[in-house]
Amino acid sequence: MSERSRWREWMAATDDELHKLTGLRSDRLVRWDYLGAFDDGLSPEEAAARAAVEAE
């Protein structure tokens, strides 16, 4: 699987998890560093939890 495919799959999972936690979608939190979280190896659940904290 290419890096681009892995990114898309990861971002979709993160977006779904973020929506479960906050009712928001990632496009509402565009300033949060999703790519950095992906590069750091965070799971979609970890990334969504951190983005949710930023949304508060």
Side-chain angles (χ1 to χ4, degrees), residues 11-35:
M11 193 62 222
T14 300
D15 190 52
D16 289 346
E17 188 66 26
L18 181 62
H19 190 258
K20 286 181 206 172
L21 292 172
T22 66
L24 299 173
R25 291 289 182 183
S26 58
D27 62 342
R28 300 299 232 155
L29 299 173
V30 294
R31 292 188 182 128
W32 201 78
D33 186 11
Y34 296 100
L35 185 55

PDB file of all heavy atoms in Angstrom, residues 11-35:
ATOM      1  N   MET A  11      -6.724   8.936   7.608  1.00  0.00           N
ATOM      2  CA  MET A  11      -7.494  10.164   7.777  1.00  0.00           C
ATOM      3  C   MET A  11      -8.982   9.877   7.830  1.00  0.00           C
ATOM      4  O   MET A  11      -9.708  10.469   8.631  1.00  0.00           O
ATOM      5  CB  MET A  11      -7.167  11.144   6.638  1.00  0.00           C
ATOM      6  CG  MET A  11      -7.672  12.550   6.872  1.00  0.00           C
ATOM      7  SD  MET A  11      -6.937  13.327   8.321  1.00  0.00           S
ATOM      8  CE  MET A  11      -8.390  14.114   9.007  1.00  0.00           C
ATOM      9  N   ALA A  12      -9.461   8.950   7.018  1.00  0.00           N
ATOM     10  CA  ALA A  12     -10.881   8.581   7.046  1.00  0.00           C
ATOM     11  C   ALA A  12     -11.245   7.983   8.403  1.00  0.00           C
ATOM     12  O   ALA A  12     -12.292   8.319   8.981  1.00  0.00           O
ATOM     13  CB  ALA A  12     -11.202   7.607   5.921  1.00  0.00           C
ATOM     14  N   ALA A  13     -10.389   7.118   8.934  1.00  0.00           N
ATOM     15  CA  ALA A  13     -10.651   6.519  10.241  1.00  0.00           C
ATOM     16  C   ALA A  13     -10.606   7.564  11.345  1.00  0.00           C
ATOM     17  O   ALA A  13     -11.429   7.551  12.267  1.00  0.00           O
ATOM     18  CB  ALA A  13      -9.638   5.403  10.518  1.00  0.00           C
ATOM     19  N   THR A  14      -9.660   8.486  11.263  1.00  0.00           N
ATOM     20  CA  THR A  14      -9.554   9.564  12.245  1.00  0.00           C
ATOM     21  C   THR A  14     -10.792  10.456  12.193  1.00  0.00           C
ATOM     22  O   THR A  14     -11.349  10.831  13.226  1.00  0.00           O
ATOM     23  CB  THR A  14      -8.282  10.397  11.999  1.00  0.00           C
ATOM     24  OG1 THR A  14      -7.149   9.525  12.120  1.00  0.00           O
ATOM     25  CG2 THR A  14      -8.148  11.530  12.985  1.00  0.00           C
ATOM     26  N   ASP A  15     -11.244  10.783  10.999  1.00  0.00           N
ATOM     27  CA  ASP A  15     -12.427  11.611  10.836  1.00  0.00           C
ATOM     28  C   ASP A  15     -13.654  10.940  11.442  1.00  0.00           C
ATOM     29  O   ASP A  15     -14.437  11.578  12.149  1.00  0.00           O
ATOM     30  CB  ASP A  15     -12.647  11.917   9.356  1.00  0.00           C
ATOM     31  CG  ASP A  15     -13.707  12.964   9.122  1.00  0.00           C
ATOM     32  OD1 ASP A  15     -13.625  14.051   9.741  1.00  0.00           O
ATOM     33  OD2 ASP A  15     -14.632  12.697   8.334  1.00  0.00           O
ATOM     34  N   ASP A  16     -13.816   9.648  11.208  1.00  0.00           N
ATOM     35  CA  ASP A  16     -14.948   8.915  11.782  1.00  0.00           C
ATOM     36  C   ASP A  16     -14.891   8.912  13.304  1.00  0.00           C
ATOM     37  O   ASP A  16     -15.905   9.115  13.972  1.00  0.00           O
ATOM     38  CB  ASP A  16     -14.974   7.472  11.271  1.00  0.00           C
ATOM     39  CG  ASP A  16     -15.365   7.368   9.812  1.00  0.00           C
ATOM     40  OD1 ASP A  16     -15.880   8.354   9.237  1.00  0.00           O
ATOM     41  OD2 ASP A  16     -15.141   6.285   9.224  1.00  0.00           O
ATOM     42  N   GLU A  17     -13.703   8.682  13.853  1.00  0.00           N
ATOM     43  CA  GLU A  17     -13.547   8.663  15.311  1.00  0.00           C
ATOM     44  C   GLU A  17     -13.793  10.044  15.904  1.00  0.00           C
ATOM     45  O   GLU A  17     -14.450  10.179  16.937  1.00  0.00           O
ATOM     46  CB  GLU A  17     -12.144   8.166  15.674  1.00  0.00           C
ATOM     47  CG  GLU A  17     -11.933   7.918  17.136  1.00  0.00           C
ATOM     48  CD  GLU A  17     -12.760   6.780  17.705  1.00  0.00           C
ATOM     49  OE1 GLU A  17     -13.145   5.861  16.961  1.00  0.00           O
ATOM     50  OE2 GLU A  17     -13.024   6.821  18.922  1.00  0.00           O
ATOM     51  N   LEU A  18     -13.292  11.086  15.264  1.00  0.00           N
ATOM     52  CA  LEU A  18     -13.518  12.450  15.732  1.00  0.00           C
ATOM     53  C   LEU A  18     -15.009  12.779  15.738  1.00  0.00           C
ATOM     54  O   LEU A  18     -15.519  13.389  16.672  1.00  0.00           O
ATOM     55  CB  LEU A  18     -12.759  13.442  14.843  1.00  0.00           C
ATOM     56  CG  LEU A  18     -12.881  14.913  15.211  1.00  0.00           C
ATOM     57  CD1 LEU A  18     -12.309  15.180  16.597  1.00  0.00           C
ATOM     58  CD2 LEU A  18     -12.184  15.772  14.177  1.00  0.00           C
ATOM     59  N   HIS A  19     -15.722  12.339  14.720  1.00  0.00           N
ATOM     60  CA  HIS A  19     -17.158  12.582  14.651  1.00  0.00           C
ATOM     61  C   HIS A  19     -17.888  11.883  15.798  1.00  0.00           C
ATOM     62  O   HIS A  19     -18.808  12.450  16.383  1.00  0.00           O
ATOM     63  CB  HIS A  19     -17.703  12.126  13.296  1.00  0.00           C
ATOM     64  CG  HIS A  19     -19.105  12.561  13.070  1.00  0.00           C
ATOM     65  ND1 HIS A  19     -20.165  11.707  13.215  1.00  0.00           N
ATOM     66  CD2 HIS A  19     -19.623  13.765  12.738  1.00  0.00           C
ATOM     67  CE1 HIS A  19     -21.288  12.356  12.976  1.00  0.00           C
ATOM     68  NE2 HIS A  19     -20.989  13.611  12.684  1.00  0.00           N
ATOM     69  N   LYS A  20     -17.458  10.683  16.157  1.00  0.00           N
ATOM     70  CA  LYS A  20     -18.054   9.966  17.288  1.00  0.00           C
ATOM     71  C   LYS A  20     -17.847  10.733  18.584  1.00  0.00           C
ATOM     72  O   LYS A  20     -18.732  10.797  19.432  1.00  0.00           O
ATOM     73  CB  LYS A  20     -17.431   8.578  17.442  1.00  0.00           C
ATOM     74  CG  LYS A  20     -17.852   7.572  16.416  1.00  0.00           C
ATOM     75  CD  LYS A  20     -17.162   6.247  16.741  1.00  0.00           C
ATOM     76  CE  LYS A  20     -17.008   5.402  15.524  1.00  0.00           C
ATOM     77  NZ  LYS A  20     -16.181   4.199  15.793  1.00  0.00           N
ATOM     78  N   LEU A  21     -16.656  11.302  18.760  1.00  0.00           N
ATOM     79  CA  LEU A  21     -16.305  11.986  20.003  1.00  0.00           C
ATOM     80  C   LEU A  21     -16.931  13.365  20.132  1.00  0.00           C
ATOM     81  O   LEU A  21     -17.301  13.779  21.234  1.00  0.00           O
ATOM     82  CB  LEU A  21     -14.789  12.121  20.121  1.00  0.00           C
ATOM     83  CG  LEU A  21     -13.995  10.835  20.314  1.00  0.00           C
ATOM     84  CD1 LEU A  21     -12.501  11.122  20.221  1.00  0.00           C
ATOM     85  CD2 LEU A  21     -14.325  10.199  21.655  1.00  0.00           C
ATOM     86  N   THR A  22     -16.995  14.103  19.031  1.00  0.00           N
ATOM     87  CA  THR A  22     -17.369  15.517  19.124  1.00  0.00           C
ATOM     88  C   THR A  22     -18.562  15.920  18.272  1.00  0.00           C
ATOM     89  O   THR A  22     -19.081  17.018  18.439  1.00  0.00           O
ATOM     90  CB  THR A  22     -16.203  16.420  18.684  1.00  0.00           C
ATOM     91  OG1 THR A  22     -15.959  16.209  17.291  1.00  0.00           O
ATOM     92  CG2 THR A  22     -14.952  16.155  19.485  1.00  0.00           C
ATOM     93  N   GLY A  23     -18.946  15.083  17.321  1.00  0.00           N
ATOM     94  CA  GLY A  23     -19.976  15.479  16.369  1.00  0.00           C
ATOM     95  C   GLY A  23     -19.428  16.344  15.248  1.00  0.00           C
ATOM     96  O   GLY A  23     -20.152  16.748  14.352  1.00  0.00           O
ATOM     97  N   LEU A  24     -18.114  16.621  15.294  1.00  0.00           N
ATOM     98  CA  LEU A  24     -17.464  17.439  14.273  1.00  0.00           C
ATOM     99  C   LEU A  24     -16.729  16.551  13.286  1.00  0.00           C
ATOM    100  O   LEU A  24     -16.392  15.411  13.587  1.00  0.00           O
ATOM    101  CB  LEU A  24     -16.459  18.392  14.911  1.00  0.00           C
ATOM    102  CG  LEU A  24     -16.996  19.404  15.908  1.00  0.00           C
ATOM    103  CD1 LEU A  24     -15.847  20.144  16.564  1.00  0.00           C
ATOM    104  CD2 LEU A  24     -17.947  20.367  15.231  1.00  0.00           C
ATOM    105  N   ARG A  25     -16.466  17.098  12.133  1.00  0.00           N
ATOM    106  CA  ARG A  25     -15.634  16.431  11.135  1.00  0.00           C
ATOM    107  C   ARG A  25     -14.301  17.168  11.063  1.00  0.00           C
ATOM    108  O   ARG A  25     -14.176  18.321  11.465  1.00  0.00           O
ATOM    109  CB  ARG A  25     -16.312  16.438   9.751  1.00  0.00           C
ATOM    110  CG  ARG A  25     -17.532  15.553   9.679  1.00  0.00           C
ATOM    111  CD  ARG A  25     -17.116  14.112   9.705  1.00  0.00           C
ATOM    112  NE  ARG A  25     -18.265  13.234   9.578  1.00  0.00           N
ATOM    113  CZ  ARG A  25     -18.154  11.925   9.633  1.00  0.00           C
ATOM    114  NH1 ARG A  25     -16.983  11.348   9.792  1.00  0.00           N
ATOM    115  NH2 ARG A  25     -19.229  11.167   9.512  1.00  0.00           N
ATOM    116  N   SER A  26     -13.303  16.483  10.542  1.00  0.00           N
ATOM    117  CA  SER A  26     -11.947  17.045  10.519  1.00  0.00           C
ATOM    118  C   SER A  26     -11.868  18.351   9.742  1.00  0.00           C
ATOM    119  O   SER A  26     -11.031  19.199  10.054  1.00  0.00           O
ATOM    120  CB  SER A  26     -10.960  16.028   9.951  1.00  0.00           C
ATOM    121  OG  SER A  26     -11.343  15.649   8.650  1.00  0.00           O
ATOM    122  N   ASP A  27     -12.738  18.544   8.768  1.00  0.00           N
ATOM    123  CA  ASP A  27     -12.678  19.801   8.018  1.00  0.00           C
ATOM    124  C   ASP A  27     -13.063  20.996   8.882  1.00  0.00           C
ATOM    125  O   ASP A  27     -12.757  22.126   8.547  1.00  0.00           O
ATOM    126  CB  ASP A  27     -13.538  19.733   6.753  1.00  0.00           C
ATOM    127  CG  ASP A  27     -15.011  19.509   7.021  1.00  0.00           C
ATOM    128  OD1 ASP A  27     -15.375  19.062   8.131  1.00  0.00           O
ATOM    129  OD2 ASP A  27     -15.805  19.763   6.109  1.00  0.00           O
ATOM    130  N   ARG A  28     -13.699  20.753  10.043  1.00  0.00           N
ATOM    131  CA  ARG A  28     -14.023  21.834  10.972  1.00  0.00           C
ATOM    132  C   ARG A  28     -12.836  22.181  11.864  1.00  0.00           C
ATOM    133  O   ARG A  28     -12.825  23.193  12.539  1.00  0.00           O
ATOM    134  CB  ARG A  28     -15.211  21.441  11.857  1.00  0.00           C
ATOM    135  CG  ARG A  28     -16.450  21.148  11.075  1.00  0.00           C
ATOM    136  CD  ARG A  28     -16.890  22.343  10.289  1.00  0.00           C
ATOM    137  NE  ARG A  28     -18.278  22.582  10.597  1.00  0.00           N
ATOM    138  CZ  ARG A  28     -18.847  23.743  10.498  1.00  0.00           C
ATOM    139  NH1 ARG A  28     -18.173  24.780  10.105  1.00  0.00           N
ATOM    140  NH2 ARG A  28     -20.110  23.889  10.761  1.00  0.00           N
ATOM    141  N   LEU A  29     -11.843  21.296  11.911  1.00  0.00           N
ATOM    142  CA  LEU A  29     -10.652  21.509  12.734  1.00  0.00           C
ATOM    143  C   LEU A  29      -9.421  21.507  11.842  1.00  0.00           C
ATOM    144  O   LEU A  29      -8.451  20.807  12.079  1.00  0.00           O
ATOM    145  CB  LEU A  29     -10.535  20.401  13.787  1.00  0.00           C
ATOM    146  CG  LEU A  29     -11.675  20.296  14.789  1.00  0.00           C
ATOM    147  CD1 LEU A  29     -11.505  19.068  15.661  1.00  0.00           C
ATOM    148  CD2 LEU A  29     -11.756  21.540  15.648  1.00  0.00           C
ATOM    149  N   VAL A  30      -9.457  22.314  10.816  1.00  0.00           N
ATOM    150  CA  VAL A  30      -8.394  22.295   9.814  1.00  0.00           C
ATOM    151  C   VAL A  30      -7.045  22.740  10.372  1.00  0.00           C
ATOM    152  O   VAL A  30      -6.016  22.411   9.803  1.00  0.00           O
ATOM    153  CB  VAL A  30      -8.749  23.154   8.575  1.00  0.00           C
ATOM    154  CG1 VAL A  30      -9.915  22.536   7.850  1.00  0.00           C
ATOM    155  CG2 VAL A  30      -9.033  24.587   8.958  1.00  0.00           C
ATOM    156  N   ARG A  31      -7.035  23.452  11.465  1.00  0.00           N
ATOM    157  CA  ARG A  31      -5.758  23.934  12.017  1.00  0.00           C
ATOM    158  C   ARG A  31      -5.023  22.852  12.800  1.00  0.00           C
ATOM    159  O   ARG A  31      -3.865  23.016  13.115  1.00  0.00           O
ATOM    160  CB  ARG A  31      -5.993  25.140  12.912  1.00  0.00           C
ATOM    161  CG  ARG A  31      -6.445  26.333  12.124  1.00  0.00           C
ATOM    162  CD  ARG A  31      -6.496  27.574  12.982  1.00  0.00           C
ATOM    163  NE  ARG A  31      -6.987  28.666  12.198  1.00  0.00           N
ATOM    164  CZ  ARG A  31      -7.982  29.445  12.544  1.00  0.00           C
ATOM    165  NH1 ARG A  31      -8.590  29.253  13.687  1.00  0.00           N
ATOM    166  NH2 ARG A  31      -8.380  30.422  11.764  1.00  0.00           N
ATOM    167  N   TRP A  32      -5.720  21.783  13.149  1.00  0.00           N
ATOM    168  CA  TRP A  32      -5.078  20.722  13.913  1.00  0.00           C
ATOM    169  C   TRP A  32      -4.147  19.961  12.990  1.00  0.00           C
ATOM    170  O   TRP A  32      -4.434  19.742  11.826  1.00  0.00           O
ATOM    171  CB  TRP A  32      -6.117  19.799  14.543  1.00  0.00           C
ATOM    172  CG  TRP A  32      -5.529  19.047  15.685  1.00  0.00           C
ATOM    173  CD1 TRP A  32      -5.304  19.544  16.930  1.00  0.00           C
ATOM    174  CD2 TRP A  32      -5.036  17.713  15.670  1.00  0.00           C
ATOM    175  NE1 TRP A  32      -4.693  18.582  17.698  1.00  0.00           N
ATOM    176  CE2 TRP A  32      -4.520  17.453  16.941  1.00  0.00           C
ATOM    177  CE3 TRP A  32      -4.968  16.727  14.709  1.00  0.00           C
ATOM    178  CZ2 TRP A  32      -3.962  16.242  17.293  1.00  0.00           C
ATOM    179  CZ3 TRP A  32      -4.411  15.514  15.056  1.00  0.00           C
ATOM    180  CH2 TRP A  32      -3.917  15.281  16.339  1.00  0.00           C
ATOM    181  N   ASP A  33      -3.014  19.515  13.483  1.00  0.00           N
ATOM    182  CA  ASP A  33      -1.950  18.922  12.665  1.00  0.00           C
ATOM    183  C   ASP A  33      -2.166  17.420  12.453  1.00  0.00           C
ATOM    184  O   ASP A  33      -1.523  16.591  13.080  1.00  0.00           O
ATOM    185  CB  ASP A  33      -0.603  19.192  13.322  1.00  0.00           C
ATOM    186  CG  ASP A  33       0.567  18.737  12.476  1.00  0.00           C
ATOM    187  OD1 ASP A  33       0.365  18.406  11.290  1.00  0.00           O
ATOM    188  OD2 ASP A  33       1.680  18.708  13.012  1.00  0.00           O
ATOM    189  N   TYR A  34      -3.081  17.081  11.556  1.00  0.00           N
ATOM    190  CA  TYR A  34      -3.342  15.671  11.258  1.00  0.00           C
ATOM    191  C   TYR A  34      -2.134  15.002  10.625  1.00  0.00           C
ATOM    192  O   TYR A  34      -1.798  13.872  10.976  1.00  0.00           O
ATOM    193  CB  TYR A  34      -4.555  15.529  10.335  1.00  0.00           C
ATOM    194  CG  TYR A  34      -5.829  16.001  10.960  1.00  0.00           C
ATOM    195  CD1 TYR A  34      -6.347  17.246  10.667  1.00  0.00           C
ATOM    196  CD2 TYR A  34      -6.503  15.200  11.878  1.00  0.00           C
ATOM    197  CE1 TYR A  34      -7.523  17.696  11.265  1.00  0.00           C
ATOM    198  CE2 TYR A  34      -7.669  15.637  12.486  1.00  0.00           C
ATOM    199  CZ  TYR A  34      -8.173  16.894  12.171  1.00  0.00           C
ATOM    200  OH  TYR A  34      -9.326  17.322  12.769  1.00  0.00           O
ATOM    201  N   LEU A  35      -1.482  15.671   9.700  1.00  0.00           N
ATOM    202  CA  LEU A  35      -0.330  15.071   9.036  1.00  0.00           C
ATOM    203  C   LEU A  35       0.790  14.812  10.047  1.00  0.00           C
ATOM    204  O   LEU A  35       1.434  13.768  10.013  1.00  0.00           O
ATOM    205  CB  LEU A  35       0.164  15.951   7.891  1.00  0.00           C
ATOM    206  CG  LEU A  35       1.286  15.372   7.037  1.00  0.00           C
ATOM    207  CD1 LEU A  35       0.907  14.012   6.466  1.00  0.00           C
ATOM    208  CD2 LEU A  35       1.645  16.334   5.914  1.00  0.00           C
TER     209      LEU A  35
END
